[in-house]
Amino acid sequence: LVAFDAAAVREGVRPYVFVGPCLVILAVFLVYPVINTILISLKDASSEKFVGLDNFRFVFTDHDMLLSIRNTAGWIVLVPLFSVTIGLAFATLADRLRSGEAVAKSLIFLPMAISFAGAAIVWRLIYSFRPPGFGSNIGLLNGVMIGLGQDPIPWLEQQPWNNLLLMVIMVWMQTGLAMV
């Protein structure tokens, strides 16, 4: 006869008691939605008829979808790349300060502390453009352009630069977090 060792059974079951609920939660909230999304992506717009890879063929051949993918990839790659690079450079420079290090770091982190609405107002004053007959241009960039003898530019309407100019706002906001 083999003796029943309750302590050994308890020790063998204990890891599953701790890990089990986590695995159930992951399965319900992560694995199931991924599988369901894949299945839905293979159906038509009403999710009734199976269309196979037609949706993916459309995504990777339609001009507007490819433009959206390019823009999204820019936001995913460029914003973190520049935020982290500039943030690390600022962190290195701020650590070399003999005095005023806390003030410098606070000023660099300040954009992270304001809301997106606050950032939009700040950058609206930088990119602002008024066409002739609608008052004087108050935007900082157009003020520089006028000061250099150039005509004002509608910055956020300049394609493909408008998307990059919007990325600058996010980089400005995220640099302080990357510095920390």
Side-chain angles (χ1 to χ4, degrees):
L1 279 168
V2 176
F4 179 73
D5 188 6
V9 170
R10 195 175 321 124
E11 288 302 315
V13 171
R14 183 176 296 179
Y16 299 104
V17 170
F18 286 112
V19 174
C22 180
L23 291 177
V24 169
I25 290 171
L26 280 174
V28 170
F29 293 105
L30 188 67
V31 176
Y32 169 73
V34 167
I35 292 171
N36 192 39
T37 300
I38 292 170
L39 292 175
I40 290 172
S41 74
L42 300 173
K43 295 181 179 180
D44 64 355
S46 61
S47 294
E48 294 173 0
K49 186 176 132 188
F50 182 79
V51 294
L53 298 176
D54 287 345
N55 292 331
F56 293 96
R57 193 172 301 113
F58 167 75
V59 166
F60 293 110
T61 57
D62 183 64
H63 177 267
D64 292 333
M65 291 298 290
L66 290 173
L67 187 62
S68 296
I69 291 170
R70 184 198 73 189
N71 289 340
T72 302
W75 281 89
I76 291 172
V77 173
L78 295 177
V79 170
L81 178 73
F82 283 105
S83 295
V84 171
T85 302
I86 296 169
L88 288 174
F90 283 170
T92 303
L93 294 173
D95 281 341
R96 293 183 180 178
L97 291 175
R98 297 203 188 277
S99 63
E101 177 183 347
V103 173
K105 287 181 177 180
S106 296
L107 289 174
I108 295 167
F109 189 77
L110 190 62
M112 186 70 203
I114 65 172
S115 67
F116 283 106
I121 290 170
V122 168
W123 283 88
R124 187 176 104 189
L125 293 172
I126 294 173
Y127 293 145
S128 179
F129 169 77
R130 292 185 182 160
F134 287 92
S136 61
N137 278 289
I138 59 170
L140 178 64
L141 288 178
N142 279 326
V144 170
M145 294 298 286
I146 292 169
L148 294 173
Q150 303 291 321
D151 291 331
I153 299 171
W155 293 100
L156 296 178
E157 295 175 18
Q158 301 299 307
Q159 295 207 9
W161 303 107
N162 56 347
N163 201 28
L164 290 171
L165 292 172
L166 293 174
M167 287 181 203
V168 167
I169 300 170
M170 188 61 124
V171 169
W172 176 73
M173 290 183 70
Q174 297 295 319
T175 297
L177 181 65
M179 178 195 67
V180 171

